Amino acid sequence: MRRLFWLAMGITIGALVVRKLSRAAEKMTPAGIAGSIAEGLRDLAEAIGDFGADIRAAAAEREAELRAGTGLDAPLPTGDQIQLPGRHGASAADS
């Protein structure tokens, strides 16, 4: 019974080692290297896209803060609400 157990254990470990080695050998082939590079580039493109989205969101938030702080989002005044400097009332010389 002990020998059968150790035989099964040896076969299992041998199969696992062979699978690991064949995966490593497959990664070293030109197709495996190209696949690794393609996956890396995909990850890089995704990270750059996420970074760009974060930048755009932060810029929009900051712009909203600046607009609220400066009053640029306030409605524009109508023609009768506009007062120009030095034109507070009409004088007799203007007529």
Side-chain angles (χ1 to χ4, degrees), residues 89-95:
S91 63
D94 288 343
S95 322

Side-chain angles (χ1 to χ4, degrees), residues 3-56:
R3 287 185 183 181
L4 186 60
F5 170 76
W6 288 111
L7 179 64
M9 181 69 73
I11 291 171
T12 304
I13 291 173
L16 291 174
V17 168
V18 167
R19 286 179 59 188
K20 287 272 189 184
L21 287 175
S22 43
R23 281 188 199 150
E26 184 180 316
K27 287 183 181 179
M28 299 307 286
T29 63
I33 292 172
S36 296
I37 290 173
E39 184 179 334
L41 289 176
R42 243 187 324 271
D43 291 345
L44 178 63
E46 184 178 322
I48 290 172
D50 291 345
F51 179 71
D54 290 345
I55 293 293
R56 286 188 293 276

Side-chain angles (χ1 to χ4, degrees), residues 75-83:
L76 294 174
T78 59
D80 59 339
Q81 293 176 334
I82 298 174
Q83 271 190 334

